[in-house]
């Protein structure tokens, strides 16, 4: 039986996700419905992607009995309400990152997933790329010894995009860019909480973070440092340094297609898209979709690769970085 997807929001990331699903076998994945706030947007999306049902409200999508899982691709501040709507309708959910605006919202989402007994995963797509799987395998086998340092960066000039600039749209570089560096640190150090975290940076006049450098210290003298920016192009790679060697993830570290282990490079090419994409390496969204399918087949309520506790640690560290840099959202005051 195919996993039947409903798509919530007809925006850019939903487009790429739907194109990515088409690179997987049709007998495994089908998009059966799309919902947008305007019917014409949903209809246009449905026409472009050959989807049979288009809805003008998320509520209609939640009521559709023929959907196994909903992909939520709307903007960050609306993730909480969308997650609660679909999970209360007993729908499994793959929600785009960040899962929500702060720890309080994430806890509410996780509690709802548990009480409704549905599957929920934050769509940190990077974790499911073959490169990330190989990194985890190499670390588990001690190929570079004990990890002592992680360095990464994610910087792209995006200040022309209101979504990165306006506070009410969930703007700020951490939740859109920096979190990819942070999730890498959390993955490599196996979800361990750092002993200390120091963040320093600059904010835009809108009150959201623009460029920030974060240093984390872990037990046993292990470190991590990352830089993220919405105003400048950075090298956008990552390096993991161990006592016996190094792992390099060349650009783009958030959607990687190559890996350099002790100087030896291996390529992990992506399938070609059937339609133009909005984001680099967008067909790589296929890997998180297949993870969801495998979890549903096994009857799991969360993924061991991006678990509920992983999402909670990520947002708690994000909140601390924002606190130090001085970014406060309206959701923090409720």
């Amino acid at each position: 039986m195919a996993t039947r997807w409903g798509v919530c929001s007809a925006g850019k990331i939903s487009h790429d996700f739907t194109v990515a699903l088409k690179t997987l076998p049709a007998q495994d994945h089908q998009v059966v419905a799309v919902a947008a706030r305007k019917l014409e947007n949903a209809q246009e999306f449905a026409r472009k992607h050959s989807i049979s049902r288009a809805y003008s409200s998320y509520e209609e999508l939640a009521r559709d009995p023929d959907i196994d899982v909903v992909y939520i691709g709307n903007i960050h501040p609306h993730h909480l309400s969308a997650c609660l709507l679909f999970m209360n309708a007993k729908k499994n959910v793959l929600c785009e990152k960040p899962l929500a605006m702060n720890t309080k919202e994430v806890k509410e989402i996780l509690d709802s997933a548990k009480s409704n007994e549905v599957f929920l995963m934050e769509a940190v797509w990077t974790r499911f790329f073959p490169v990330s799987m190989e990194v985890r395998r190499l670390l588990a086998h001690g190929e570079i010894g004990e990890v002592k340092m992680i360095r990464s960066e994610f910087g792209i000039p995006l200040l022309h995009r209101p979504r990165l600039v306006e506070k009410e749209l969930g703007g700020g570089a951490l939740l859109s860019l920096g979190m990819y560096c942070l999730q890498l640190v959390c993955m490599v150090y196996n979800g361990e909480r750092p002993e200390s975290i120091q963040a320093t940076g600059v904010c835009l006049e809108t009150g959201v973070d623009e460029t920030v450098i974060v240093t984390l210290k872990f037990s046993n003298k292990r470190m991590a440092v990352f830089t993220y920016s919405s105003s400048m192009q950075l090298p956008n790679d990552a390096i993991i340094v161990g006592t016996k060697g190094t792992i390099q993830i060349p650009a783009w570290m958030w959607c990687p297609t190559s890996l350099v282990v002790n100087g030896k490079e291996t390529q992990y090419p992506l399938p070609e898209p059937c339609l133009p994409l909005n984001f680099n390496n967008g067909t790589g969204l296929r890997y998180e979709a297949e993870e969801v399918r495998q979890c549903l087949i096994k009857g799991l309520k969360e993924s061991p690769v991006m678990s509920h506790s992983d999402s909670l640690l990520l947002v708690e560290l994000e909140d601390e970085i924002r606190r130090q840099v001085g970014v406060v959202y309206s959701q923090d005051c409720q």
Side-chain angles (χ1 to χ4, degrees):
M1 287 283 289
T3 299
R4 300 169 301 174
W5 291 87
V7 174
C8 167
S9 178
K12 290 180 177 176
I13 192 70
S14 293
H15 167 90
D16 283 17
F17 182 78
T18 306
V19 171
L21 282 179
K22 292 225 172 75
T23 69
L24 294 165
Q27 67 264 29
D28 289 351
H29 295 270
Q30 289 174 5
V31 180
V32 298
V34 58
R37 285 169 296 180
K38 291 181 180 169
L39 181 59
E40 57 265 33
N41 292 351
Q43 288 172 333
E44 170 62 20
F45 191 96
R47 185 193 59 74
K48 188 185 286 182
H49 296 285
S50 306
I51 300 166
S52 58
R53 301 172 206 176
Y55 297 124
S56 62
S57 74
Y58 299 162
E59 288 78 11
E60 289 173 276
L61 183 64
R63 287 195 296 268
D64 190 322
D66 300 324
I67 288 168
D68 300 312
V69 56
V70 175
Y71 171 77
I72 296 175
N74 58 5
I75 60 172
H76 325 331
H78 297 154
H79 286 178
L80 173 63
S81 60
C83 281
L84 296 183
L85 171 70
F86 292 113
M87 292 190 297
N88 286 334
K90 307 302 182 198
K91 294 284 190 272
N92 300 300
V93 166
L94 172 64
C95 180
E96 202 40 76
K97 42 59 60 181
L99 185 53
M101 294 300 293
N102 56 29
T103 299
K104 181 172 147 292
E105 287 195 352
V106 165
K107 283 181 174 174
E108 197 173 337
I109 290 170
L110 298 181
D111 287 346
S112 175
K114 287 185 175 67
S115 63
N116 283 299
E117 298 182 338
V118 293
F119 174 87
L120 167 75
M121 188 175 89
E122 181 177 8
V124 181
W125 65 319
T126 315
R127 288 219 174 172
F128 306 95
F129 273 64
V131 164
S132 299
M133 291 173 63
E134 179 63 6
V135 167
R136 291 193 295 271
R137 190 192 70 79
L138 290 166
L139 295 176
H141 286 85
E143 294 286 339
I144 62 164
E146 186 190 6
V147 175
K148 301 303 275 185
M149 169 64 84
I150 305 161
R151 180 201 53 75
S152 67
E153 49 214 15
F154 189 168
I156 303 182
L158 289 170
L159 296 183
H160 57 287
R161 296 261 179 91
R163 191 174 66 78
L164 267 292
V165 174
E166 303 301 331
K167 194 179 271 193
E168 63 272 18
L169 298 179
L174 175 62
L175 297 188
S176 288
L177 311 178
M179 62 81 57
Y180 284 108
C181 301
L182 184 58
Q183 74 80 27
L184 174 69
V185 173
C186 293
M187 183 187 87
V188 171
Y189 286 143
N190 281 315
E192 186 180 321
R193 192 172 294 275
E195 289 181 347
S196 69
I197 179 165
Q198 290 175 298
T200 183
V202 292
C203 291
L204 298 169
E205 289 174 5
T206 55
V208 301
D209 50 312
E210 176 224 282
T211 302
V212 178
I213 301 170
V214 181
T215 307
L216 305 103
K217 182 161 159 275
F218 290 81
S219 63
N220 300 326
K221 300 180 178 177
R222 295 168 300 151
M223 301 286 291
V225 61
F226 63 87
T227 308
Y228 65 88
S229 176
S230 58
S231 69
M232 67 187 82
Q233 188 73 36
L234 292 173
N236 294 334
D237 61 346
I239 185 164
I240 303 164
V241 182
T243 51
K244 296 181 188 171
T246 61
I247 296 170
Q248 290 172 279
I249 306 171
W252 302 294
M253 58 74 65
W254 64 94
C255 52
T257 53
S258 64
L259 190 63
V260 183
V261 182
N262 295 327
K264 183 173 179 287
E265 184 165 12
T266 307
Q267 300 288 335
Y268 297 82
L270 286 166
E272 288 299 311
C274 61
L275 289 169
L277 296 164
N278 295 301
F279 300 100
N280 296 334
N281 293 347
T283 52
L285 292 161
R286 72 202 298 267
Y287 301 117
E288 65 180 13
E290 182 58 25
E291 172 72 8
V292 171
R293 174 172 167 78
Q294 293 306 320
C295 287
L296 294 178
I297 288 170
K298 292 170 188 164
L300 300 178
K301 301 303 178 193
E302 58 185 299
S303 162
V305 180
M306 188 66 209
S307 67
H308 293 181
S309 61
D310 289 330
S311 289
L312 191 57
L313 176 62
L314 196 56
V315 75
E316 287 171 349
L317 296 178
E318 286 163 356
D319 282 1
E320 177 58 21
I321 292 167
R322 285 199 297 113
R323 187 191 69 76
Q324 292 187 26
V325 177
V327 177
V328 181
Y329 295 116
S330 60
Q331 292 85 353
D332 300 325
C333 309
Q334 289 164 5

